[in-house]
Amino acid sequence: MPRLSAGIMKDPLGTSKVWFAAPAPPAQQDPIVAMMTSAGYPVTFYPLEDDAKAESIALETTKGGGSGTPTYEYSLLFAEPVYKYVGVLPITQSGAGQVEKMSVEHNTWLWDVAVSTAEDGKTHTYWVTGQTNSNPSRTQNGLYKRGPGQNTWERIGLPGGDGQKPYYVKVDTEAVWVTATNPNQVLRLNLNTLRWKERNLGAAVPQQLTFHPNGEVWVASSQGIHIFDGQMEEEGTTIGLPNGGKAKGICVGQDGNIWYTNPDRKTLGKYPTAVAALGAPSRLGRTQVVSHSGTVLHAKEHADAPLVAEYVADGRPIPGIPLTCRIEAEGATFDDNTRERVILTDQRGRVCLPPVYAGEVEEEALLSVGLGNTEPHMTTTLHIRPA
């Protein structure tokens, strides 16, 4: 595979295939790659210029057909920074077609690309972020827009000024969302008014972002994960990762949970977003279960997020509550070899129990969480079986 793959997506036609993009492919390889996920994992490289790169990929969907049942056509979009164009690669049942190149005339290093589609399902507007760069020389930061029927790109300056550097971009039906540094911000551009809203992240360096089905926007950063409402009316909340480190890639799984990559620990993490499973919260406050992982664990295996709970009072989750997390077992322990830890609820009032490592003893390990000994703890059982 090309080095430093910058993006991956499943095949939109439903075949057993995934697509990669690479910003630094080895010599004699091309930066757009399709790989079958069965039968020996054969790969197909799609040729571009000899030293071309691809900093990102995105999917474009175009509605076709007449007044009856609609059909859809799909294309892979990518940002090519060396030759400064956005590429459009049609994806068909017989393979990929020829790349259409939409040249970007501005002196910028292209980074990420997104597309917004009108209500007709056929008319597209393209968005790409660009940065300053030293080698080769690029002198301009900005968000760039190419509307329907246009052959040139309009530069849209960021609210932080010419020195603010944009990274990732996503588009919903109402706005364009951008992460940027100098200063570190999450930005929202209203598509109707073309006015910016910005939220400062302080020392946290923002990375990728994703849209949750409930209307929230989740942003990965060097200090965890940030959550904003879809209109960016509120300041947002921050969730620190259970074991520290950074979050970089982020997406929503089919089950609605948030998945993220942690480049410091080289791990993949999950943050459950399901609603609470037990009853209505009381006015006095109590701990209740949000989710728990599978109940069977084999010897020497580990469970990353065995139990997630939240503390609620007067109908609202409460941050900063010290919940006691315990594991009653003979061989199993938390990741630091302890069997009891006190963890403060995060800004959403939640606690994710530390990973559990099973020992070599076949047993029933009891996990529990609650506010000290002042209330009955919420529990789940891990059935630890031989390897």
Side-chain angles (χ1 to χ4, degrees), residues 44-167:
T44 302
F45 291 89
Y46 290 88
L48 301 175
E49 297 83 357
D50 288 344
D51 54 347
K53 304 178 185 297
E55 287 286 4
S56 63
I57 56 173
L59 179 66
E60 175 187 276
T61 302
T62 303
K63 184 178 179 180
S67 57
T69 302
T71 59
Y72 294 93
E73 299 173 352
Y74 303 98
S75 295
L76 183 152
L77 305 179
F78 61 93
E80 199 296 315
V82 178
Y83 293 89
K84 297 193 301 181
Y85 62 82
V86 170
V88 183
L89 179 65
I91 300 174
T92 67
Q93 293 288 357
S94 59
Q98 296 295 314
V99 175
E100 175 191 353
K101 301 176 182 179
M102 296 185 289
S103 296
V104 178
E105 62 274 18
H106 300 272
N107 189 23
T108 191
W109 182 267
L110 301 181
W111 187 265
D112 195 20
V113 63
V115 58
S116 53
T117 304
E119 291 184 2
D120 62 6
K122 303 177 182 180
T123 306
H124 305 297
T125 299
Y126 301 95
W127 306 84
V128 65
T129 53
Q131 307 173 351
T132 58
N133 192 61
S134 56
N135 185 24
S137 176
R138 300 284 193 268
T139 59
Q140 198 176 77
N141 293 314
L143 172 68
Y144 302 90
K145 170 189 175 184
R146 175 166 161 157
Q150 295 181 341
N151 294 318
T152 59
W153 294 79
E154 171 191 358
R155 177 180 180 268
I156 301 174
L158 303 186
D162 291 343
Q164 189 168 34
K165 179 177 288 189
Y167 281 85

Side-chain angles (χ1 to χ4, degrees), residues 220-224 241 244-248 260-265 267:
S221 86
S222 61
Q223 295 187 2
L241 303 189
K246 305 173 183 177
K248 185 174 182 180
Y260 61 90
T261 59
N262 184 333
D264 282 358
R265 299 179 66 89
T267 56

Side-chain angles (χ1 to χ4, degrees), residues 20 30 42 45 75 129 144 160 177 194 221 287 290 309 328 332 356 364:
F20 297 90
D30 294 294
F45 291 89
S75 295
T129 53
Y144 302 90
W177 294 75
L194 294 183
S221 86
T287 304
V290 174
E328 298 176 24
V356 169
E364 309 299 307

